[in-house]
Amino acid sequence: MPPTSPPTSILVLGSGVFGLSTALALTARPSFTNTRITLLDRNPFPSPDGSSIDTSRIIRADYSDPSYASLAASAQSLWRQQGPSELGGEGRYSECGLVLVADKGQQGERYVQESLENVRKISGQEGEGTIRELKNRKEIDEAVGTGGGSGDWGYVNTSSGWADAEEGMKWMRRRAEATNGISFVVGEATCLLKNGNKILGATLKDGSTLKAELTIVATGAWTGKLIDLRGRATATGQVLCYLDLTEQEQERLGKMPVLLNMSTGMFIIPPKNRVLKIARHSYGYANPVSIPHPSPSPSSSEERIEVSVPRTALDDKQLWVPREGELACRQALREMIPELGERRFSKSKICWYTDTPSGDFLIDYHPEHEGLFLATGGSGHGYKFLPVIGERIVDVVEGKQGGWEGVERELRGKWKWREEKVDKVVTEDGSRGGRPGMVLDEELRKGSKL
């Protein structure tokens, strides 16, 4: 429950999309004028293994869920602002269009159908010139314009696009620093500081502590190390592969639309700086690790629990995506851009999601710990909301009901802490490709780096 009066101090753990935007939004609220705000991250900004730091992210209102489609449309209006000091300016956002497809009769088809309905409703008459159904593979290939394509049904929405993910985060960081209302601290929180069921802040790896009346945990895929989220959220690793291009290839492919197949999860985003990314939005890899129980119950004898936690290039400089993932990217590249089908990948990355069973965010007060608020569960689709999600999170912190229009009101219920748990978290929102149940170590043992 929201506190009866504004806290005198707030500690935000994590400087990704949710954490950074929340800290910024807090500084703009009159309620927190006298509140000391501290933002902690385990790495100097920008964190090289953070899920929000990358070459690109898709920016779309193309959602099967009307409430997310509406919120994404609100975010897009800000991404489209192109002044040098505005979010979408200086190449941070490119509206190249999105070709959203599926394989008929397969998972993902319904997602695409419902997305088409939603963006048509959002666009109204304007959508007649920007949204067009693609009834077969030939029409898909023509819309993509690379000599290839994917799927056999879908649509093109020329009002969607992509963002330079790292540059977008840097823009947000500059705005946050300019407020002079946030203390930025580098350090790794190893556990929450408790007194009974009350959270007092966090203990850092060096043994020091940061105390606050309210602690907001926005640590993404690392959240399971601080709070027991078993059955509610889990970390999954996603495959990204990159290849280098010539100047001529950059010039030509830089004009292509984003291509995303909701049946396979494979997608390609237009290149920038002569680097092309191909990736998979999938069920992902689990990385189960035994850790000390972050919040043991007096009635339980569990001292250690097994949770999936990220493993990144900061942990293992030689880490390369598993053979299974690289083969999937190779196959998709051959299909989507045939001329580059055999081009070697110059690097790869495992991007870590915080998945929930429904794909909904987890933005709520923890029901068992006073002074603890969660802002996590991005489920692989949080980045596009960068310019609006902080305001929504702070609305929940304050317990506000106003400012949520139409179907967006449904999000308040979707983001609540779920009392019920599932045996195993597998995101079933209709948007995932690949196969569920893969374990990173098992796949790495089968081979890596072809």
Side-chain angles (χ1 to χ4, degrees), residues 141-421:
D141 289 0
E142 289 173 351
V144 175
T146 61
S150 186
D152 49 25
W153 179 84
Y155 68 92
V156 58
N157 180 2
T158 59
S159 294
S160 291
W162 65 278
D164 184 321
E166 182 170 343
E167 290 304 315
M169 290 298 292
K170 288 179 177 178
W171 178 88
M172 182 67 77
R173 172 76 174 214
R174 288 194 294 272
R175 288 192 65 201
E177 290 174 345
T179 67
N180 293 317
I182 304 169
S183 297
F184 297 92
V185 178
V186 176
E188 182 179 352
T190 55
C191 64
L192 297 178
L193 190 62
K194 307 181 185 76
N195 181 11
N197 72 339
K198 185 177 178 62
I199 302 301
L200 305 176
T203 300
L204 276 55
K205 191 174 183 178
D206 64 5
S208 62
T209 60
L210 289 174
K211 294 185 178 181
E213 286 189 15
L214 177 64
T215 299
I216 299 176
V217 179
T219 46
W222 285 262
T223 306
K225 297 176 72 173
L226 298 174
I227 303 166
D228 185 3
L229 292 179
R230 290 175 298 170
R232 296 186 176 93
T234 191
T236 65
Q238 309 290 327
V239 172
L240 287 70
C241 289
Y242 305 80
L243 58 152
D244 296 330
L245 304 178
T246 66
E247 289 287 359
Q248 293 77 14
E249 291 165 342
Q250 170 66 51
E251 174 66 22
R252 187 172 70 256
L253 295 173
K255 300 181 177 71
M256 70 174 286
V258 175
L259 174 57
L260 169 57
N261 186 322
M262 281 299 190
S263 294
T264 64
M266 303 306 304
F267 64 92
I268 284 183
I269 297 176
K272 185 174 183 179
N273 298 326
R274 294 174 49 199
V275 176
L276 177 73
K277 181 177 80 176
I278 182 164
R280 184 176 64 189
H281 177 65
S282 73
Y283 294 106
Y285 307 115
N287 183 41
V289 173
S290 174
I291 65 169
H293 199 308
S295 48
S297 167
S299 61
S300 172
S301 61
E302 280 187 300
E303 294 183 357
R304 301 187 68 84
I305 61 174
E306 187 176 89
V307 298
S308 178
V309 300
R311 186 191 311 175
T312 74
L314 292 186
D315 305 308
D316 177 3
K317 288 183 170 32
Q318 303 303 313
L319 185 63
W320 190 270
V321 297
R323 177 185 179 90
E324 174 276 336
E326 186 174 348
L327 283 172
C329 289
R330 177 63 60 197
Q331 181 179 347
L333 182 61
R334 288 168 177 159
E335 182 184 29
M336 295 175 172
I337 311 179
E339 66 175 287
L340 298 178
E342 306 310 317
R343 181 78 53 89
R344 67 178 291 273
F345 293 128
S346 55
K347 68 174 182 176
S348 75
K349 179 180 178 180
I350 299 177
C351 176
W352 290 90
Y353 290 179
T354 323
D355 278 340
T356 64
S358 62
D360 292 310
F361 304 157
L362 175 52
I363 299 172
D364 201 1
Y365 283 92
H366 196 292
E368 298 173 3
H369 295 288
E370 183 184 349
L372 177 60
F373 187 92
L374 303 176
T376 187
S379 299
H381 65 104
Y383 185 90
K384 67 182 68 62
F385 300 106
L386 176 65
V388 297
I389 193 64
E391 292 293 333
R392 295 296 189 270
I393 291 171
V394 175
D395 282 345
V396 182
V397 169
E398 290 191 290
K400 282 191 172 181
Q401 300 297 322
W404 297 58
E405 301 299 329
V407 294
E408 286 185 30
R409 294 193 187 104
E410 298 176 12
L411 293 172
R412 294 295 293 271
K414 294 176 184 291
W415 294 349
K416 284 184 178 296
W417 174 272
R418 303 291 180 188
E419 289 302 325
E420 67 278 6
K421 297 164 63 175

Side-chain angles (χ1 to χ4, degrees), residues 429-450:
D429 63 353
S431 74
R432 300 302 179 98
R435 77 176 188 271
M438 288 190 289
V439 176
L440 182 58
D441 270 337
E442 293 176 1
E443 295 304 320
L444 286 172
R445 283 195 291 268
K446 296 175 185 177
S448 179
K449 200 162 188 178
L450 300 177

